[in-house]
Amino acid sequence: MTARTAHATVFGAEPEGRWAAPGRVNLIGEHTDYNDGFVMPLALPHTTVVSLSRRPGRLLRLHSEALPTGTAELALDELAPGRVPGWAAYPAGVAWALLTAGHDLGGADLYVTSDVPTGAGLSSSAALEVACALALNDTFGLGLGAQEIALLCRRAENGFVGVPCGIMDQMASARCAGGHVLHLDTRDLAIEQIPFDMAAEGLRLLVVDTRVSHRLGDGAYARRRAVCEAAAARLGVAALRDIPAEGLEPALARLGKETARRRVRHVVTENERVSRVAALLRARRARETGPLLTAGHHSLRDDFEVSCPELDLVVEASLAAGALGARMTGGGFGGSAIVLAEAEGAPAAVAAVAGAFAAAGYRPPRVFEAVPSSGARRLPH
């Protein structure tokens, strides 16, 4: 059954259109976006697809192919943070963000399909938000651009769902371009599309999904953000992004708690790593980014403390098998890692990781190649 047919079966009407938004993997720049820093994600070919048909009245009906047992029915005029549980909070939050920003919506039926792995640190929530926002924008003629959609989707996740994320995931899903990584300044949202063709350089960028589900709403993510914001206030800067690499040690000396020093050290050094990776990619010297990726993982593991044994094992096993670099990607506490390897050495790295997981008694990881793909778009009718 096609998605169009499934939509008609569930809602009794053909959809007016279909919209897709991708998940993302972050090459470098972790936990920097809510510190006004720099990030460098790329869109994956995995997408969330939303079909939409208008309906009379002010009712929003939501159905997910992955959860075929029920349809959520929500009154548009009664949407409020904390009232919608589960996955439906994300599209409901998008509608709430649009309405509270003054945009006019009518009743709608939305049918959702997705092949973005959930809980893998690959931004499945942002893909859902952006696909829904684009569908509502186009259907109701709201006239919003990609950046406005990304900002509204972040507001939905922050204010409605309750996850204090930065802007990277939504901007990546909305604005990435095929064949490129997105160099994003999260303060002013300036972007640079940097060509990213690993195959042309004889390389492979692999995503290793550890299948360890991460939960960013359990407080650990929020606590780290709070520590960063408190440290910035103590140091007298608007955000940790304003501390240059050469000013790191004097800044650390002014912080009393070791935990705050570690968090600040990660953010400042990670911003520097993003800049160095960007320069290498512009110069077509992708091989030299490997040690920077690995250094980023060590910083996330030791200073930011958001790794886990499975992610560490991916890095250790792949490097031992000859990979050029590896690091966890995403918010952490599980999810995925990336591995940069020579094309001929990629199978050995994959085999080494699989063997290490088996020896440790872990579930077999899921591995696929990261191919930089297009951002959110309307699909052909």
Side-chain angles (χ1 to χ4, degrees), residues 258-276:
E258 177 59 27
T259 296
R261 288 196 290 267
R262 290 201 303 268
R263 303 298 187 254
V264 170
R265 181 165 53 232
H266 166 71
V267 173
V268 174
T269 59
E270 185 79 343
N271 276 324
E272 178 69 11
R273 283 186 286 271
V274 174
S275 296
R276 292 174 65 188

Side-chain angles (χ1 to χ4, degrees), residues 66-97:
L67 301 168
T69 54
T71 298
E73 296 190 357
L74 308 167
L76 283 172
D77 298 323
E78 297 176 8
L79 294 176
R83 291 189 181 178
V84 182
W87 77 273
Y90 293 94
V94 168
W96 169 83

Side-chain angles (χ1 to χ4, degrees), residues 98 103-105 133-149 152:
L98 288 167
H103 299 289
D104 187 25
L105 299 178
L134 189 58
L136 291 168
N137 176 66
D138 288 0
T139 301
F140 292 101
L142 306 182
L144 300 174
Q147 181 170 301
E148 294 171 289
I149 284 174
L152 280 163

